[in-house]
Amino acid sequence: MNTPESICVSLEMAQRLKSAGWPQESIFRWIELSDEQFILWTKSDYEGTMKEDEEFDGIHGWSIFADAPTAEEILRKLPMHSIHGNSKGYIVTVDDLHDEKGRFAHHEQDFSLANAAAAMFLFLSENKFLSDLCILGQIDPLVSPSFTRGSI
């Protein structure tokens, strides 16, 4: 059985994605409880704790820390890629990247598929292979099979 923890990014990766501008609209969110304790909840979980016309932040001292996208949500924002599983987890590869030195592939590996996909997204974003339009979902990264730094 899949649990939210098995299909969503870790707390650390959620924070990195949020800092990189990942849209905060996932159904899963890391909630900060008191004393720096965190729990992964769905939107319906925390909405069930609110009274009518009440904002979530501040209830019981809790606050929404960051969205926790699933592997599928992240993979949909990546250009053409491959996924391989092995005893060390998952490897996400984008083969057709181009920079001033030529064509190359990049790999990210993690025990969690969501974290490996997030690491790839962060690499592509930080190195200007994805534009803000792609991050925000306003254009489809799968339209172009190859990516040149700054092109999409």
Side-chain angles (χ1 to χ4, degrees):
M1 181 172 133
N2 287 333
T3 63
E5 291 81 5
S6 71
I7 62 171
C8 294
V9 296
S10 66
L11 177 66
E12 176 188 350
M13 194 60 77
Q15 183 176 20
R16 290 182 60 201
L17 286 169
K18 183 177 181 180
S19 294
W22 182 270
Q24 299 296 289
E25 52 194 33
S26 179
I27 191 170
F28 294 101
R29 291 190 169 160
W30 282 104
I31 305 298
E32 184 174 14
L33 307 175
S34 57
D35 301 326
E36 295 186 21
Q37 295 178 352
F38 297 88
I39 187 169
L40 187 58
W41 268 7
T42 65
K43 186 175 182 179
S44 61
D45 287 335
Y46 61 78
E47 285 181 346
T49 67
M50 298 186 309
K51 298 176 185 166
E52 193 172 324
D53 298 328
E54 185 175 39
E55 293 292 325
F56 181 78
D57 281 0
I59 295 177
H60 313 295
W62 303 349
S63 63
I64 298 169
F65 183 73
D67 273 23
T70 64
E72 181 178 353
E73 288 175 296
I74 300 164
L75 291 169
R76 287 177 181 261
K77 292 193 183 286
L78 295 181
M80 297 300 273
H81 57 274
S82 60
I83 302 167
H84 300 280
N86 63 26
S87 61
K88 296 179 183 177
Y90 297 92
I91 301 169
V92 176
T93 303
V94 174
D95 287 318
D96 203 11
L97 296 170
H98 301 269
D99 65 8
E100 60 280 350
K101 295 178 184 175
R103 182 175 182 259
F104 69 99
H106 184 75
H107 314 278
E108 291 290 345
Q109 183 171 340
D110 195 280
F111 182 72
S112 154
L113 178 56
N115 281 350
M120 178 60 76
F121 178 87
L122 289 167
F123 169 82
L124 294 172
S125 178
E126 291 165 359
N127 289 283
K128 309 295 186 219
F129 288 105
L130 297 176
S131 72
D132 291 339
L133 291 176
C134 191
I135 293 168
L136 297 173
Q138 295 173 351
I139 61 170
D140 186 349
L142 301 180
V143 170
S144 173
S146 68
F147 281 75
T148 301
R149 183 170 287 149
S151 69
I152 296 279

